[in-house]
Amino acid sequence: MNNKRILKSSFVILLFLFLFSFNTESYAGKKKDYLITSFGAVADGKTVNTKAIQKAIDAANKNKGGRVVFSKGKFLSGSIILKSGVELFFEEGAVLLGSTDVNDYPKYEGIRALVLAYASKNISITGKGIIDGRGRELALAVDSLHHTGVRIDSEYNYRRLRPGDGRGKLVSFVKCDSIKITDITLKNSSGWVQCFEKCSNIVVDHINVESRAYWNNDGIDINGCENVSVTNCNVNSADDGICLKSDSPGLQNNNIYIANCIIRSSASAVKFGTGSYGSFKNVTIENIEVFDTFRSAIAIESVDGAEIENIKVSNITAVNTGNAILIRLGHRNGEKPGYIKNVSIKNVKAQIPFGRPDIDYDLRGPEVDYFHNPFPASIVGIPGYSIENVTLENIEITYPGRASKGMAYLPLTRLKDVLENIKGYPEFTMFGELPSWGFYVRHANGIQMKNIRLALEKEDFRPAFVFDDVKELYMENIDVPSDKTNQVIFKDVSSANLDAETLKRKSEPKQNTFVLPAH
């Protein structure tokens, strides 16, 4: 990381922290401490302390704010409600241990979680302690109660044999303002680890997420929020690592900064969607390390009508990751498709394995249910709705090769047979077998590719690039293997600009493109 990037990241973090402190009047002076042990909490890991902890929170809130302190030890609890002006502070060695009794998690304002807040302001979770939801035990308890008919889960997924809403989240804040979560370790959720919905002015910094307890363990979910900073986090999750969502119309994500994070995921590392009804605007993602991740390092998806624009992604390193980049505009729900435009992705280095990256996980993403060769990165809209103005610069991706026509084969004369899958769940595997090994671009307008290097570990019979229904394509300094011809395939491509030095090869320096006849 160079000095300029360090200074830039530090400035942004300091700006967010300044704004947070400026808007948090109750944190102006030293806050009064409220020890949960003074309210009757017992750190034996057996006594249910829900009422005692809530009494401490309520007392701090009543007195215009304060710090609720968890001392060293294991404090068992069900749902607690964080209220305005209150900080939950965890001393080193302190553990909030989630109950495995489903009755200890009643809904509050429609929220089910271990730590929750609704319409609160100036709230925080800090300290070197741990919040452990014991999510696998809780989820299996919910599952058992459903099948015995004691407590029916209306959202139970019979195909995947897992309960739905009854599991709840570890941390869930809704309609809150001025939130700070720092230094804490969040682990073993039964559902999403932490979710911020319709919130504003959020700082998440230097937290650890260790949640591979059960399905749908998204690390950090941001759902219709504004002015968000997520920095210096280490996320190891059984589902998407950091996920921006817009789960209902009108939910707007605006001014989001994600930086200096390390992510391992059984799904995608950083993802927009799949819930994508509202908007995602002015999002900056930089300095992200991804490893052993099943799906995409970066996935930008609008399939429910979402407006996605002004997205800047830079300095991404992905090792042993199923896919480097997916940009998908579809039409799964909503009156009409949304749009994706003005996306910049720079300085990406990725290594794609031949087999699945999460093979050694105890929880693994669902298998692809058809025979296929390794998949390329994809930028794909739908007929009549193109992805617009995407810049890819300084991209280096190493692919495994080893494609075989005996496994799957879609000849270049049949590009029309690539699935549109307009209503499909957005995923880099959603189009079936693809005709290229490096990039597949379809229904796009204004694509700039500069300094792109694609490498193969083994031979692949397919071309590196296929462009289908693309306008205003610019390619500069493209480096592909030297032992193949016709590495770039055009079908219905207009206004393409490839200068004589566009395709670098170790031998035969001629431009090796092939244009398919129009249909």
Side-chain angles (χ1 to χ4, degrees), residues 14-289:
L14 289 171
L15 177 62
F16 268 97
L17 291 172
F18 171 76
L19 291 173
F20 180 82
S21 61
F22 182 78
N23 290 323
T24 312
E25 57 200 43
S26 64
Y27 293 137
K30 180 175 174 57
K31 293 167 288 184
K32 179 179 178 181
D33 283 349
Y34 296 80
L35 279 65
I36 62 172
T37 51
S38 298
F39 291 80
V42 179
D44 60 3
K46 298 177 181 179
T47 303
V48 179
N49 294 295
T50 311
K51 291 183 179 179
I53 297 171
Q54 195 61 56
K55 285 180 181 179
I57 293 171
D58 291 346
N61 169 255
K62 184 178 180 180
N63 288 289
K64 297 184 179 180
R67 192 171 75 156
V68 172
V69 177
F70 290 72
S71 56
K72 184 177 180 180
K74 293 183 178 180
F75 296 91
L76 181 65
S77 179
S79 287
I80 56 175
I81 304 167
L82 189 53
K83 298 182 179 180
S84 292
V86 178
E87 172 187 358
L88 299 185
F89 175 75
F90 291 78
E91 295 179 350
E92 189 168 0
V95 180
L96 172 60
L97 200 61
S99 169
T100 58
D101 184 344
V102 299
N103 295 307
D104 288 334
Y105 299 91
K107 278 191 174 181
Y108 175 80
E109 297 291 347
I111 311 166
R112 194 190 307 277
L114 176 56
V115 181
L116 60 89
Y118 179 81
S120 294
K121 184 176 182 181
N122 302 328
I123 56 178
S124 62
I125 302 174
T126 67
K128 300 290 188 179
I130 297 171
I131 300 178
D132 182 349
R134 296 199 292 174
R136 185 171 298 179
E137 296 91 332
L138 177 59
L140 292 176
V142 174
D143 186 86
S144 177
L145 291 174
H146 173 79
H147 287 291
T148 56
V150 175
R151 186 177 180 134
I152 300 299
D153 185 340
S154 61
E155 298 181 11
Y156 194 90
N157 188 324
Y158 283 94
R159 184 171 71 88
R160 295 182 173 175
L161 295 177
R162 73 180 73 155
D165 176 66
R167 287 181 283 156
K169 303 175 178 69
L170 194 65
V171 175
S172 183
F173 295 162
V174 178
K175 295 184 178 179
C176 295
D177 180 35
S178 299
I179 300 164
K180 181 173 68 173
I181 300 183
T182 61
D183 301 316
I184 199 78
T185 293
L186 304 175
K187 62 190 297 183
N188 300 330
S189 179
S190 57
W192 293 351
V193 178
Q194 56 191 317
C195 181
F196 306 96
E197 181 177 341
K198 302 178 184 177
C199 295
S200 58
N201 303 311
I202 304 168
V203 172
V204 179
D205 186 50
H206 279 103
I207 71 165
N208 291 306
V209 174
E210 302 171 7
S211 198
R212 312 191 65 81
Y214 205 68
W215 295 102
N216 307 118
N217 275 188
D218 287 13
I220 302 172
D221 285 293
I222 300 165
N223 189 8
C225 297
E226 293 191 317
N227 302 328
V228 181
S229 172
V230 177
T231 53
N232 306 305
C233 296
N234 193 326
V235 178
N236 185 350
S237 60
D239 210 321
D240 298 317
I242 300 176
C243 193
L244 307 183
K245 297 178 179 290
S246 179
D247 278 341
S248 60
L251 286 184
Q252 298 179 355
N253 293 277
N254 192 25
N255 295 334
I256 312 292
Y257 181 68
I258 300 168
N260 306 319
C261 296
I262 300 172
I263 303 173
R264 178 184 190 236
S265 167
S266 281
S268 291
V270 181
K271 176 178 172 181
F272 294 60
T274 59
S276 48
Y277 290 87
S279 66
F280 304 79
K281 298 181 179 181
N282 306 315
V283 179
T284 298
I285 301 163
E286 62 183 6
N287 308 329
I288 307 295
E289 296 181 22

Side-chain angles (χ1 to χ4, degrees), residues 431-483:
F431 309 110
E433 176 68 6
L434 286 172
S436 56
W437 59 264
F439 272 92
Y440 177 72
V441 182
R442 193 184 203 185
H443 308 310
N445 184 359
I447 302 297
Q448 294 191 49
M449 292 187 170
K450 304 176 183 178
N451 302 324
I452 310 294
R453 182 179 184 274
L454 303 182
L456 284 170
E457 293 179 345
K458 300 289 184 179
E459 177 64 18
D460 196 309
F461 67 87
R462 301 168 296 177
F465 298 87
V466 168
F467 297 93
D468 185 356
D469 183 26
V470 177
K471 299 177 182 178
E472 301 295 335
L473 170 65
Y474 178 83
M475 300 179 76
E476 176 185 338
N477 192 17
I478 309 299
D479 190 345
V480 293
S482 63
D483 56 350

